[in-house]
Amino acid sequence: TQLLEQSPQFLSIQEGENLTVYCNSSSVFSSLQWYRQEPGEGPVLLVTVVTGGEVKKLKRLTFQFGDARKDSSLHITAAQTGDTGLYLCAGALFGSNTGKLIFGQGTTLQVKP
Amino acid sequence: NAGVTQTPKFQVLKTGQSMTLQCAQDMNHNSMYWYRQDPGMGLRLIYYSASEGTTDKGEVPNGYNVSRLNKREFSLRLESAAPSQTSVYFCASSVFGSRTGEAFFGQGTRLTVV
């Protein structure tokens, strides 16, 4: 059973379209992060959200942490071909101070020109 | 600034062979981690070291051992490789006790066991 359920797992869209990726759990997280991974590289941190209800924007990317700190979403506006990649959500479990992260399965995004 | 460095980047092993994956970080982080990445599974934690001198099992520790050599280095050993261990392995580091748990990753080691 996956502690963090990420959906969808695959997404293929045209350039200019909008999309949302979801990350859901029954567990409470002290923080939730979104990473992006390019082929042949390790994941790179995009953003961290720590407060329930928090919304962060990074250019065309909007990240939201659920009020109960059990879920998060990533919304991309007017997707570009450069957004293509693997997007991973990861959470630090509430009450843990080891820094261990629980990862979702990942969403492979393909943006076609 | 190198960040997290993993060696080797690619490796092919025969079933039953052993090998050690090396990882070093230069960010003065206390905590280090080994993950494996398989298609559709995200990243799964194999072992972690919250601080120098301590190691703990993660989600999928069977078939692996680790050594925290010093604050900078954390190695992962496969004693008798099996085809099920074919995967991409990532080392990561973070600040111990950080509520946010932000992790910095190496470039990965692509291991094939035949």
Side-chain angles (χ1 to χ4, degrees):
Chain A
T1 305
Q2 196 83 14
L3 198 58
L4 260 178
E5 293 287 341
Q6 198 171 333
S7 63
Q9 289 195 32
F10 300 98
L11 201 51
S12 182
I13 60 172
Q14 295 293 136
E15 197 169 30
E17 292 183 2
N18 301 333
L19 67 115
T20 302
V21 178
Y22 299 93
C23 193
N24 295 294
S25 178
S26 57
S27 299
V28 177
F29 294 95
S30 60
S31 70
L32 205 137
Q33 299 156 29
W34 287 91
Y35 291 81
R36 182 180 165 196
Q37 186 178 13
E38 301 279 1
E41 302 289 330
V44 176
L45 182 69
L46 292 173
V47 77
T48 300
V49 285
V50 297
T51 305
E54 183 176 3
V55 177
K56 279 193 176 178
K57 292 191 176 184
L58 190 65
K59 297 183 181 178
R60 295 172 294 98
L61 279 61
T62 301
F63 305 86
Q64 186 162 8
F65 201 12
D67 291 341
R69 290 189 294 173
K70 294 182 179 180
D71 56 87
S72 180
S73 63
L74 156 61
H75 181 79
I76 301 179
T77 303
Q80 300 177 355
T81 55
D83 295 328
T84 293
L86 176 66
Y87 290 81
L88 294 155
C89 65
L93 283 171
F94 184 77
S96 170
N97 67 349
T98 62
K100 284 196 302 180
L101 290 174
I102 308 297
F103 279 84
Q105 306 99 313
T107 296
T108 299
L109 172 64
Q110 180 189 44
V111 182
K112 295 178 283 187
Chain B
N1 195 349
V4 179
T5 303
Q6 287 182 237
T7 56
K9 289 191 175 181
F10 301 94
Q11 185 71 50
V12 178
L13 288 179
K14 293 183 179 179
T15 297
Q17 286 185 321
S18 62
M19 79 162 294
T20 299
L21 283 64
Q22 306 286 353
C23 175
Q25 53 91 11
D26 62 4
M27 294 174 283
N28 202 35
H29 287 163
N30 301 91
S31 298
M32 297 185 73
Y33 314 86
W34 277 104
Y35 288 89
R36 60 177 288 174
Q37 185 173 37
D38 302 291
M41 303 288 287
L43 287 154
R44 292 182 293 170
L45 184 64
I46 305 171
Y47 270 94
Y48 68 100
S49 172
S51 60
E52 187 178 353
T54 68
T55 60
D56 285 287
K57 295 179 180 179
E59 184 185 354
V60 288
N62 291 346
Y64 305 95
N65 284 300
V66 290
S67 295
R68 183 72 182 267
L69 304 171
N70 48 55
K71 190 173 185 178
R72 290 186 65 246
E73 299 173 286
F74 189 37
S75 63
L76 177 71
R77 183 161 177 83
L78 286 69
E79 291 291 350
S80 180
S84 61
Q85 293 178 306
T86 292
S87 187
V88 181
Y89 292 85
F90 286 99
C91 176
S93 69
S94 70
V95 176
F96 175 72
S98 166
R99 189 165 73 100
T100 60
E102 294 156 337
F104 296 83
F105 287 83
Q107 289 192 308
T109 296
R110 278 146 190 81
L111 175 66
T112 302
V113 183
V114 298

